[in-house]
């Protein structure tokens, strides 16, 4: 499996780490703070009162040094030679020393080797000064963030005061100017914008606005061209449903808005998945029950050519939510049938918790309800074969906005959210029965 890497470079206090952490959370990937590696070395040297800052001394020291990172949720602890340096990393004396020793080739080599080794183990978003240009030149998506020196100084002043550090705007401004000078004028791997990086000036945007902008760019980069056979199957299915089931779709524009988003629909028939595939496009990914897929040879054969995210209710895969998030942010519509099984009567059954869990864990802000009308009559659960010439009508709602996500879950309790989502589908069903059945 190949892992992906997103890099953010830019000057100090341009918002890199705040945004990298937010995006890591939204995508369900790890955040890697390369500045913390330089800071760890600096903090270790300060704690040991080693004030020498020449290349020979640093080479000797780093030859036998080991750097380790331990994640506690999304928070990482940094250990150099077994010493936990995390409590000292945000100190300004440490930052200045980090910036001074970062100009030495031996230090950069040590840090870069560690960064590259860590990123082989998973998907990461990493921030620093030379990540897109030097450390990960083949990164999947590269950003370069900057902001005016005044707004960077204001942000840093606020950050330091929040941490209880006595400081002033003028002092912070001076420190930032000095660090900018050191970082962009050093001979080895200075701070530069990689030619293929997406440039964002964050001065007049809020963090949330920049975050959304970056997520849109990530999505655009990740949208994969589907393989030719999927495109072929998709257009065949479209014609098949038009000819044999007089397919009509209302609200197709709403589906286009959620390129890469979570979609849910009622489930009455084997036709539901191919029907949605023909509407949402060949990149569509379905969340499916491992148990159902394993026991049904027909479904197993059909789904061989299309990606599935498998759920095992008794033994949830550890990275289930991460995979869902990744697919969504890669630009794939991810479809879930929240009833968990085909309805025998054609009526909408009660929803299982899966849909709400994905929304809460992945902090999804928009979800698209789709009602598949008439499919039940075209191929009800008890029939072996479909009945041709029945009319199928699909209603695609406007995306539902989910608000109130915060650490540890959404504001709305899971049950209330589940009921809210079901109600929207029931409303669509009513609309279908009143107007189109
Ligand atoms: O980003 P942060 O302020 O934590 O970085 C501390 C110092 O480490 C920076 O001022 C910079 O000199 C150095 N650094 C670097 N290359 C990186 C990350 C940080 O030179 N990729």
């Amino acid at each position: 499996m190949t892992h992906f890497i997103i890099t953010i470079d830019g000057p100090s206090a341009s918002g890199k780490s705040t945004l990298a952490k937010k995006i890591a959370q939204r995508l369900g990937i790890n955040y890697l703070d390369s500045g913390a590696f330089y800071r760890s070395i600096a903090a270790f040297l300060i704690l040991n009162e080693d004030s020498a800052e020449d290349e020979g001394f640093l080479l000797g020291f780093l030859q036998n040094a080991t750097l380790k990172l331990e994640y506690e949720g999304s928070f990482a602890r940094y250990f150099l030679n077994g010493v936990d340096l995390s409590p000292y990393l945000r100190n300004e004396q440490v930052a200045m020393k980090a910036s001074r020793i970062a100009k030495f080739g031996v230090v950069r080599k040590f840090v870069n080797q560690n960064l590259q080794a860590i990123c082989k183990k998973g998907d990461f978003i990493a921030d620093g000064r030379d990540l897109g240009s030097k450390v990960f030149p083949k990164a999947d998506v590269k950003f370069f963030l900057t902001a005016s020196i005044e707004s960077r100084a204001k942000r840093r002043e606020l950050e330091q005061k929040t941490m209880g550090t006595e400081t002033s705007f003028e002092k912070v401004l001076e420190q930032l100017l000095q660090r900018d000078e050191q970082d962009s004028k050093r001979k080895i791997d200075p701070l530069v914008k990689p030619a293929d990086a997406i440039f964002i000036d964050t001065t007049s945007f809020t963090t949330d606005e920049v975050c959304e902008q970056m997520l849109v760019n990530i999505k655009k980069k990740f949208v994969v061209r589907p393989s030719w056979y999927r495109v072929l199957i998709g257009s065949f299915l479209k014609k098949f449903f038009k000819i044999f089931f007089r397919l009509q779709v209302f609200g197709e524009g709403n589906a286009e808005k959620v390129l890469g988003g979570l979609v849910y629909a009622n489930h009455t028939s084997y036709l539901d998945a191919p029907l949605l595939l023909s509407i949402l496009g060949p990149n569509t990914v379905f969340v499916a029950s491992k148990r159902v897929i394993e026991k049904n040879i027909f479904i197993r054969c059909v789904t061989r050519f299309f990606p599935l995210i498998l759920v095992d209710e008794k033994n949830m895969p550890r990275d289930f939510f991460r995979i869902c998030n990744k697919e969504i942010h890669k630009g794939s519509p991810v479809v879930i049938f929240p009833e968990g099984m085909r309805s025998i009567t054609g009526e909408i059954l009660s929803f299982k918790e899966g849909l709400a869990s994905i929304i809460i864990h992945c902090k999804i802000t928009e979800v698209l309800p789709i009602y598949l009308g008439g499919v039940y009559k075209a191929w009800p659960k008890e029939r072996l074969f479909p009945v041709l010439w029945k009319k199928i009508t699909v209603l695609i709602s406007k995306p539902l906005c989910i608000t109130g996500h915060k650490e540890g879950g959404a504001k709305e309790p899971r049950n209330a959210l589940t009921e809210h989502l079901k109600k929207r589908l029931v409303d669509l069903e009513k609309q279908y029965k009143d107007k189109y059945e």
Side-chain angles (χ1 to χ4, degrees), residues 34-35 38-39 98-99 102 108 128-131 179 183 186:
S34 71
Y38 291 96
R39 286 176 185 250
S99 184
R108 304 204 71 79
R129 306 292 186 287
D130 59 343
L131 298 192
R179 277 222 274 155
D183 291 345
R186 66 170 171 246

Side-chain angles (χ1 to χ4, degrees), residues 88-368:
Y88 312 103
L89 299 187
R90 302 325 298 172
N91 179 298
E92 204 43 45
Q93 192 196 350
V94 170
M96 290 309 265
K97 186 167 175 92
S99 184
R100 287 196 305 274
I101 58 168
K103 70 173 186 266
F104 294 110
V106 283
V107 178
R108 304 204 71 79
K109 192 168 163 206
F110 175 81
V111 170
N112 293 352
Q113 280 171 348
N114 275 284
L115 290 169
Q116 285 159 346
I118 291 168
C119 285
K120 282 195 183 124
K121 295 180 194 152
D123 301 320
F124 282 89
I125 178 160
D127 73 348
R129 306 292 186 287
D130 59 343
L131 298 192
S133 57
K134 168 78 188 196
V135 192
F136 301 108
K138 292 195 178 143
D140 299 273
V141 190
K142 298 178 188 177
F143 290 99
F144 188 88
L145 300 188
T146 190
S148 70
I149 183 75
E150 290 79 16
S151 82
R152 289 196 282 133
K154 263 189 220 140
R155 283 179 202 164
R156 188 47 53 90
E157 182 196 359
L158 187 71
E159 185 186 298
Q160 292 191 353
K161 284 188 171 158
T162 314
M163 287 191 311
T165 313
E166 266 297 309
T167 193
S168 67
F169 177 79
E170 290 70 27
K171 193 167 158 201
V172 174
L173 186 73
E174 194 192 311
Q175 285 166 343
L176 278 182
L177 285 168
Q178 195 181 334
R179 277 222 274 155
D180 279 0
E181 167 105 6
Q182 279 167 193
D183 291 345
S184 48
K185 298 239 168 95
R186 66 170 171 246
K187 287 202 186 80
I188 312 170
D189 308 333
L191 167 70
V192 284
K193 175 191 166 303
D196 50 350
I198 298 157
F199 177 87
I200 303 178
D201 184 336
T202 65
T203 310
S204 43
F205 297 109
T206 63
T207 311
D208 283 341
E209 284 167 342
V210 181
C211 181
E212 290 310 317
Q213 214 174 316
M214 291 171 81
L215 284 169
V216 167
N217 278 298
I218 292 170
K219 212 180 261 186
K220 271 196 216 150
K221 284 261 181 176
F222 277 139
V223 171
V224 281
R225 268 169 66 134
S227 51
W228 63 268
Y229 63 83
R230 281 204 228 161
V231 176
L232 206 69
I233 295 175
S235 53
F236 165 77
L237 286 172
K238 218 173 195 139
K239 291 210 169 63
F240 171 80
F241 284 108
K242 279 242 151 64
I243 295 169
F244 293 108
F245 297 97
R246 293 175 288 145
L247 171 67
Q248 264 198 305
V249 183
F250 293 95
E252 247 173 321
N254 294 328
E256 278 154 25
K257 282 184 209 145
V258 293
L259 159 87
L262 190 61
V263 178
Y264 69 101
N266 56 317
H267 194 19
T268 57
S269 163
Y270 278 150
L271 291 175
D272 296 340
L275 177 59
L276 284 167
L277 193 81
S278 76
I279 296 168
L280 297 171
N283 276 337
T284 307
V285 176
F286 291 90
V287 177
S289 156
K290 196 168 173 215
R291 186 177 43 83
V292 173
I293 301 287
E294 274 172 0
K295 76 172 189 207
N296 190 319
I297 293 188
F298 169 69
I299 303 186
R300 244 186 15 230
C301 294
V302 172
T303 54
R304 267 192 74 105
F305 301 101
F306 286 89
L308 295 175
I309 302 174
L310 292 181
V311 196
D312 180 353
E313 282 139 48
K314 289 202 195 87
N315 185 16
M316 277 303 268
R318 264 186 51 232
D319 53 357
F320 171 74
F321 294 113
R322 198 180 62 81
I323 297 172
C324 289
N325 232 341
K326 201 167 140 185
E327 288 298 339
I328 289 171
H329 288 284
K330 267 165 60 184
S332 301
V334 171
V335 178
I336 180 166
F337 297 111
E339 298 151 277
M341 63 174 92
R342 283 172 296 153
S343 158
I344 301 181
T345 59
E347 297 299 312
I348 297 174
L349 306 174
S350 61
F351 280 16
K352 300 212 160 137
E353 280 198 349
L355 175 61
S357 300
I358 297 178
I359 292 174
I360 291 169
H361 271 88
C362 303
K363 295 195 165 44
I364 306 275
T365 52
E366 268 189 357
V367 49
L368 189 74

